[in-house]
Amino acid sequence: MPRRNRTVRAVLALAFLPALASAQAGGGLASRIDQRIDQEVERLAPRIVELRHQLHQNPELSNREEKTAELVAAHLRSLGLEPRTGVGKTGVTALLQGGKPGPLIAVRADMDALPVTEETDLPFKSTKRDTFLGQEVGVAHACGHDIHTSVQLGVASVLAAMRQDLPGSILFIFQPAEEGPPPGERGGAELMLAEGVFGGGGGGGKPKAIFALHSFPDLEVGQIGYNPGPTMAAVDQFTAKIRGKQAHGAYPHLAVDPIVIAAQAVLALQTIRSRSLPALEPSVITVGILRGGERFNIIPGEVHLEGTVRTYKEEVRKEVERRMREILDGVTRAGGGSFELEYKKNAPATVNDPALTEKVRPLLERAVGAGNVKVVEPSMAGEDFAYFANEVPGFYFRLGVVKPGTVSGGLHTPTFRADDSAVAVGMRAMTRLLADYLSSSH
Ligand SMILES: [Zn+2]
Ligand SMILES: [Zn+2]
């Protein structure tokens, strides 16, 4: 892989960004706004990087983002905005009304951290510990949500400084629990919507479009990735109990062995992907937990099985669940046992609205340079931004966070490492995306 060339290109592109942008934009409202944005980003980025360090050192788990929400609300107030707090537990929203008439759009940043013990050499690395599912764990921003929150505070800062010139309004959404609320709790985008984030409570109504970005360790700082259409998968979770009949391990004929049945079920479930669905249809069925038995010489009465299903299309999602029930029914009956299946649908697939994607791609290219905007593969990971993007047209892009010449672990790993220099790029890309979108919809 020509990594060196890519690195040189990325660095060059960064160095010449402002000049490149104004040259490409030509005259007009968008170009004047773009120049202001670049100046403001440069001026404000150091302060926003400090906020990023603060957030990174004080990560909070899903639905526990109290201090984070306080920091966010305080910063929004310092910009003259009137944030609404406690939306969907710890969420914060704020409406920035531009000085000129125009549509309402929204932008979302997620705020929660993960039960991961950070293993990076960052001077501001997290050493925080907390309790998760009854266990003491390290807590870290291993999914880059500190970058998303700080970048969005930066975007709000830049746009607040030039609000008089802004043709329209922007709803800033700081969302808790993107990684999913703890068991038994509600949270995330779905709860924010249920509590009226798109209307009623001071949000200014339903936005015309919604945007979000996510840190991406496969791209270098200066690069942006996106793909049209489905970009993140639907996330389902299943729990199955396979019931048999307990007996001495030496007398299997007196038992109905749920371990043998479960073993057959695990293998048979994989045939849904390979035999029941078209070969070109993306899907994943993973059994993540298979638990049963207490002693080597006892055939247990029950086996517990848990896993996840990832799909893009609603009909495929339904088909997987239907086949899963059929297979569990057939396999357990054949073995003389029975089963119970709980199939829980979490976030639907995140789909980049095709028309919106077409409209914003040139805006992104102008912001970071055409060669730095890459079409990336869709991911089978999930994203609860999908709930927002199911309500109004949405666009979700990936922000390169790896400093050229360094390496980062993957998302959700202890060595995930987003570089500070990604903050200014994220601020510039998102601010210009929002402002140019409003200008072009004017
Ligand atoms: Zn994550
Ligand atoms: Zn994330």
Side-chain angles (χ1 to χ4, degrees), residues 108 110 112 114 142-145 148 178-179 213-215 232 382-383 396 411-412:
R108 186 222 62 172
D110 38 14
D112 50 332
L114 286 162
C143 203
H145 298 187
H148 314 165
E178 190 287 318
E179 303 286 357
L213 58 76
H214 201 288
S215 302
M232 302 292 276
E383 169 54 83
Y396 177 89
L411 293 168
H412 290 207

